[in-house]
Amino acid sequence: MKRELGVGLRALWRRPLAGLLVWSVPEVLPTAVSGYVVAQAIDSGFLAGDLWRGLAWLGALFAASLLGGLGSRGVFRYLGALVEPFRDTLARHIVAGALTNATAGRREDGAVARLTRQLEIVRDTYAGLILLTRGFAVTVVGVAAGLLSLSPLVAAVIVPPFLLGLGLFAATIGIAAGRYRTAVAADERLASEAGTVLGGARDIVATGTEDHAAGMVADRATAQAKAELALARLAVLRTGCFVVGAWLPLALLLFAGPWLVAGGASAGTIMGGLTYILFGLQPALNQFITGTGDSGLRFIVTLRRILDAGGEFPTATTLPESEEPRPDRPVADTSRLRARDLSFRYGPRSERVVDGLDLDIQPGEHLAIVGQSGIGKSTLACLLCGLLPPDTGEVTIGGQPVAGLPPRELAELRVLIPQQAYVFSGTVADNLTYLNPYAPGDLIDEALDVVGAAKLVSELGGPTAEVSPAQLTDGQRQLIALARAYLSPAPLVFLDEATCHLDPAAEERAELAFAARGGSLVVIAHRISSALRAKRIMVMDGPRSSIGTHTELLSRSPLYRDLVGYWNG
Ligand SMILES: Nc1ncnc2c1ncn2[C@@H]1O[C@H](COP(=O)(O)OP(=O)(O)OP(=O)(O)O)[C@@H](O)[C@H]1O
């Protein structure tokens, strides 16, 4: 929350702010003098039997209101000059982030349109917040000055409970921002899961997994309902803050009436105090609480989305108003994988399959993982892909922790092809573009060609032909899955013995295609030829796993020597 407030406050630090504050003075004048004028009208006018004097005081209040109207007009003139440059800076940030992602090969998938909608929300809520907080601050200062000039005794009754209510509200803002964020995230997860289930409706019905699919959506719906309830409970708390800050001063003033009169306060003074509460503090606090609780939270949460979607946000020092942004930020290393202290076992009493593993895969690297059958290669691949949660440790891809990422976002980071390739009933094109529905025809042709699936697809009748998975061989299924992974937008590819049903020449062709695709490649190798194509090789042996080149491992890993001997034999 601090970062978002910091960005908003820094953007305020411009010349128009001075104009805005200067025009706030006449704007607050009617509120500041209202109680004092009412007290004078009653005490020295109507109660003293001098009708004209009373009316003259009320006329003064009317004149102050006219001045207030002029002040409001001036405030709005400067508001635009403050808000629009902030909007422009955010827009540059969004475009720079989109360009960085595009040059790094990540799919945009409507992100710019989504961020642009969020930009308008931030602009509107930012303007609302400026008006709100400024109006609240000048009203409180004006009322405090008016109360002190009216009667310090009355001020002593009204101000403390008002400040208490305000303080209580301030204490809930952090919690409210957290709950609002949770509610927005739960909402999006529900929409994403429902979208996934709807998109796979045909397969769900075909495989009879309706109950499972309904369960997937039900969990998200329950989580979303919970988050909304937590948010609603907070609204009740906010009402409590308003009661303390706005109604308690009124009750105290009425109860303290006899004591105030004994202390020298007149009927007009008490009426003036009531005027300050009813026409100054109450509406100001009400607007402030509802406004910051609504626009304020939307501003913080939406701005966070925009800031998280791009790189470093340009501050006043890094991006002067007149300067164009320079697109010289380094391209994000979206295919860099980093695992730290990774441990995993399938059950509380089973052996650890992975134990305290640290692993770095550099952008563009080609790594092979080898090891005896059952040592944990597939398990490790699932951990690195975020398909299994580790017992300890963390995996990041492109700097982003994979834990807890929704499937759609994970699919944009990495693609895993398991040994048993999945082909579903539908057209060849449906199967190929499953991970990239908007893949253009020439990219599909390229994918089929480089992984060696073009001949198969032509024999099947072309991309529009229907596929019957049961009639395909294991090798044919693997070719279709390979072309699908090649078309995926993910910069990191895992092939878990994904070519084991192809002959060595076809396997070489497919692996070379992935190595040349851009991004990083991890191959769980089942042949020495496959391991030798990688720049580095990881030999898995539980806690004794080691990494190096083929030559390094031959000299230092007995297990690797055994494996090579076995493969060559
Ligand atoms: N779902 C599971 N539940 C419990 N144990 C499992 C599960 N999946 C794998 N294992 C066990 O975890 C260990 C590692 O299995 P894994 O499949 O990761 O090994 P692998 O090296 O990929 O084997 P292979 O080369 O034969 O494919 C094995 O002992 C296996 O029996």
PDB file of all heavy atoms in Angstrom, residues 346 353 372-379 419 497, ligand 1:
ATOM      1  N   TYR A 346       6.301 -37.811  -1.218  1.00  0.00           N
ATOM      2  CA  TYR A 346       4.890 -38.019  -1.549  1.00  0.00           C
ATOM      3  C   TYR A 346       4.015 -38.232  -0.318  1.00  0.00           C
ATOM      4  O   TYR A 346       2.824 -37.954  -0.344  1.00  0.00           O
ATOM      5  CB  TYR A 346       4.742 -39.196  -2.518  1.00  0.00           C
ATOM      6  CG  TYR A 346       4.987 -38.763  -3.956  1.00  0.00           C
ATOM      7  CD1 TYR A 346       6.215 -38.999  -4.563  1.00  0.00           C
ATOM      8  CD2 TYR A 346       4.012 -38.094  -4.667  1.00  0.00           C
ATOM      9  CE1 TYR A 346       6.446 -38.580  -5.861  1.00  0.00           C
ATOM     10  CE2 TYR A 346       4.230 -37.667  -5.960  1.00  0.00           C
ATOM     11  CZ  TYR A 346       5.452 -37.920  -6.561  1.00  0.00           C
ATOM     12  OH  TYR A 346       5.671 -37.495  -7.841  1.00  0.00           O
ATOM     13  N   VAL A 353      11.977 -37.518  -2.323  1.00  0.00           N
ATOM     14  CA  VAL A 353      12.369 -37.690  -3.729  1.00  0.00           C
ATOM     15  C   VAL A 353      13.346 -36.567  -4.112  1.00  0.00           C
ATOM     16  O   VAL A 353      14.309 -36.783  -4.839  1.00  0.00           O
ATOM     17  CB  VAL A 353      11.116 -37.650  -4.646  1.00  0.00           C
ATOM     18  CG1 VAL A 353      11.501 -37.899  -6.090  1.00  0.00           C
ATOM     19  CG2 VAL A 353      10.089 -38.671  -4.198  1.00  0.00           C
ATOM     20  N   GLN A 372      18.525 -42.897 -12.736  1.00  0.00           N
ATOM     21  CA  GLN A 372      17.898 -44.226 -12.833  1.00  0.00           C
ATOM     22  C   GLN A 372      16.382 -44.082 -12.838  1.00  0.00           C
ATOM     23  O   GLN A 372      15.853 -43.093 -12.324  1.00  0.00           O
ATOM     24  CB  GLN A 372      18.278 -45.051 -11.602  1.00  0.00           C
ATOM     25  CG  GLN A 372      19.727 -45.377 -11.527  1.00  0.00           C
ATOM     26  CD  GLN A 372      20.079 -45.759 -10.089  1.00  0.00           C
ATOM     27  OE1 GLN A 372      19.511 -45.230  -9.145  1.00  0.00           O
ATOM     28  NE2 GLN A 372      21.021 -46.674  -9.968  1.00  0.00           N
ATOM     29  N   SER A 373      15.730 -45.135 -13.321  1.00  0.00           N
ATOM     30  CA  SER A 373      14.276 -45.123 -13.327  1.00  0.00           C
ATOM     31  C   SER A 373      13.763 -45.056 -11.880  1.00  0.00           C
ATOM     32  O   SER A 373      14.281 -45.742 -11.000  1.00  0.00           O
ATOM     33  CB  SER A 373      13.792 -46.403 -14.008  1.00  0.00           C
ATOM     34  OG  SER A 373      12.414 -46.453 -13.928  1.00  0.00           O
ATOM     35  N   GLY A 374      12.804 -44.186 -11.637  1.00  0.00           N
ATOM     36  CA  GLY A 374      12.201 -44.072 -10.308  1.00  0.00           C
ATOM     37  C   GLY A 374      12.967 -43.156  -9.362  1.00  0.00           C
ATOM     38  O   GLY A 374      12.583 -43.001  -8.204  1.00  0.00           O
ATOM     39  N   ILE A 375      14.038 -42.496  -9.828  1.00  0.00           N
ATOM     40  CA  ILE A 375      14.836 -41.657  -8.924  1.00  0.00           C
ATOM     41  C   ILE A 375      14.127 -40.327  -8.620  1.00  0.00           C
ATOM     42  O   ILE A 375      14.409 -39.668  -7.627  1.00  0.00           O
ATOM     43  CB  ILE A 375      16.252 -41.415  -9.522  1.00  0.00           C
ATOM     44  CG1 ILE A 375      17.216 -40.899  -8.449  1.00  0.00           C
ATOM     45  CG2 ILE A 375      16.216 -40.455 -10.690  1.00  0.00           C
ATOM     46  CD1 ILE A 375      17.619 -41.902  -7.443  1.00  0.00           C
ATOM     47  N   GLY A 376      13.206 -39.897  -9.527  1.00  0.00           N
ATOM     48  CA  GLY A 376      12.457 -38.671  -9.236  1.00  0.00           C
ATOM     49  C   GLY A 376      12.527 -37.608 -10.318  1.00  0.00           C
ATOM     50  O   GLY A 376      12.212 -36.444 -10.066  1.00  0.00           O
ATOM     51  N   LYS A 377      12.883 -37.989 -11.528  1.00  0.00           N
ATOM     52  CA  LYS A 377      13.041 -36.988 -12.606  1.00  0.00           C
ATOM     53  C   LYS A 377      11.686 -36.331 -12.932  1.00  0.00           C
ATOM     54  O   LYS A 377      11.587 -35.102 -13.041  1.00  0.00           O
ATOM     55  CB  LYS A 377      13.642 -37.650 -13.870  1.00  0.00           C
ATOM     56  CG  LYS A 377      14.991 -38.296 -13.619  1.00  0.00           C
ATOM     57  CD  LYS A 377      15.566 -38.927 -14.848  1.00  0.00           C
ATOM     58  CE  LYS A 377      14.779 -40.133 -15.368  1.00  0.00           C
ATOM     59  NZ  LYS A 377      14.765 -41.306 -14.471  1.00  0.00           N
ATOM     60  N   SER A 378      10.654 -37.169 -13.091  1.00  0.00           N
ATOM     61  CA  SER A 378       9.331 -36.594 -13.424  1.00  0.00           C
ATOM     62  C   SER A 378       8.804 -35.764 -12.261  1.00  0.00           C
ATOM     63  O   SER A 378       8.186 -34.707 -12.455  1.00  0.00           O
ATOM     64  CB  SER A 378       8.326 -37.701 -13.726  1.00  0.00           C
ATOM     65  OG  SER A 378       8.770 -38.432 -14.829  1.00  0.00           O
ATOM     66  N   THR A 379       9.065 -36.231 -11.046  1.00  0.00           N
ATOM     67  CA  THR A 379       8.625 -35.471  -9.872  1.00  0.00           C
ATOM     68  C   THR A 379       9.289 -34.103  -9.873  1.00  0.00           C
ATOM     69  O   THR A 379       8.633 -33.076  -9.633  1.00  0.00           O
ATOM     70  CB  THR A 379       8.999 -36.244  -8.592  1.00  0.00           C
ATOM     71  OG1 THR A 379       8.446 -37.549  -8.688  1.00  0.00           O
ATOM     72  CG2 THR A 379       8.483 -35.544  -7.350  1.00  0.00           C
ATOM     73  N   GLN A 419       5.611 -38.057 -20.731  1.00  0.00           N
ATOM     74  CA  GLN A 419       5.881 -39.247 -21.559  1.00  0.00           C
ATOM     75  C   GLN A 419       4.617 -39.698 -22.291  1.00  0.00           C
ATOM     76  O   GLN A 419       4.659 -40.025 -23.462  1.00  0.00           O
ATOM     77  CB  GLN A 419       6.355 -40.337 -20.616  1.00  0.00           C
ATOM     78  CG  GLN A 419       7.061 -41.459 -21.284  1.00  0.00           C
ATOM     79  CD  GLN A 419       7.676 -42.379 -20.230  1.00  0.00           C
ATOM     80  OE1 GLN A 419       7.836 -42.004 -19.077  1.00  0.00           O
ATOM     81  NE2 GLN A 419       7.999 -43.578 -20.641  1.00  0.00           N
ATOM     82  N   GLU A 497      10.800 -37.136 -21.213  1.00  0.00           N
ATOM     83  CA  GLU A 497      10.830 -38.328 -22.070  1.00  0.00           C
ATOM     84  C   GLU A 497       9.730 -38.232 -23.123  1.00  0.00           C
ATOM     85  O   GLU A 497       9.072 -39.218 -23.464  1.00  0.00           O
ATOM     86  CB  GLU A 497      10.691 -39.597 -21.229  1.00  0.00           C
ATOM     87  CG  GLU A 497      11.782 -39.687 -20.172  1.00  0.00           C
ATOM     88  CD  GLU A 497      11.941 -41.057 -19.544  1.00  0.00           C
ATOM     89  OE1 GLU A 497      11.383 -42.022 -20.094  1.00  0.00           O
ATOM     90  OE2 GLU A 497      12.628 -41.145 -18.532  1.00  0.00           O
TER      91      GLU A 497
HETATM   92  N1  LIG B   1       1.774 -39.993  -7.240  1.00  0.00           N
HETATM   93  C1  LIG B   1       2.722 -40.645  -6.545  1.00  0.00           C
HETATM   94  N2  LIG B   1       2.469 -41.051  -5.289  1.00  0.00           N
HETATM   95  C2  LIG B   1       3.429 -41.671  -4.551  1.00  0.00           C
HETATM   96  N3  LIG B   1       4.665 -41.939  -5.012  1.00  0.00           N
HETATM   97  C3  LIG B   1       4.945 -41.586  -6.257  1.00  0.00           C
HETATM   98  C4  LIG B   1       4.000 -40.905  -7.093  1.00  0.00           C
HETATM   99  N4  LIG B   1       4.581 -40.650  -8.295  1.00  0.00           N
HETATM  100  C5  LIG B   1       5.848 -41.140  -8.214  1.00  0.00           C
HETATM  101  N5  LIG B   1       6.060 -41.699  -7.004  1.00  0.00           N
HETATM  102  C6  LIG B   1       7.289 -42.295  -6.538  1.00  0.00           C
HETATM  103  O1  LIG B   1       8.282 -41.271  -6.499  1.00  0.00           O
HETATM  104  C7  LIG B   1       9.516 -41.773  -6.955  1.00  0.00           C
HETATM  105  C8  LIG B   1       9.990 -40.931  -8.135  1.00  0.00           C
HETATM  106  O2  LIG B   1       9.114 -41.141  -9.233  1.00  0.00           O
HETATM  107  P1  LIG B   1       9.312 -40.404 -10.610  1.00  0.00           P
HETATM  108  O3  LIG B   1       8.252 -40.857 -11.538  1.00  0.00           O
HETATM  109  O4  LIG B   1       9.461 -38.979 -10.365  1.00  0.00           O
HETATM  110  O5  LIG B   1      10.716 -40.996 -11.074  1.00  0.00           O
HETATM  111  P2  LIG B   1      11.391 -40.945 -12.518  1.00  0.00           P
HETATM  112  O6  LIG B   1      12.839 -40.772 -12.268  1.00  0.00           O
HETATM  113  O7  LIG B   1      10.750 -39.960 -13.356  1.00  0.00           O
HETATM  114  O8  LIG B   1      11.084 -42.408 -13.047  1.00  0.00           O
HETATM  115  P3  LIG B   1      11.016 -42.932 -14.580  1.00  0.00           P
HETATM  116  O9  LIG B   1      12.356 -42.667 -15.179  1.00  0.00           O
HETATM  117  O10 LIG B   1      10.750 -44.386 -14.429  1.00  0.00           O
HETATM  118  O11 LIG B   1       9.924 -42.167 -15.255  1.00  0.00           O
HETATM  119  C9  LIG B   1       9.294 -43.228  -7.312  1.00  0.00           C
HETATM  120  O12 LIG B   1       9.698 -44.005  -6.202  1.00  0.00           O
HETATM  121  C10 LIG B   1       7.811 -43.338  -7.529  1.00  0.00           C
HETATM  122  O13 LIG B   1       7.346 -44.609  -7.191  1.00  0.00           O
END
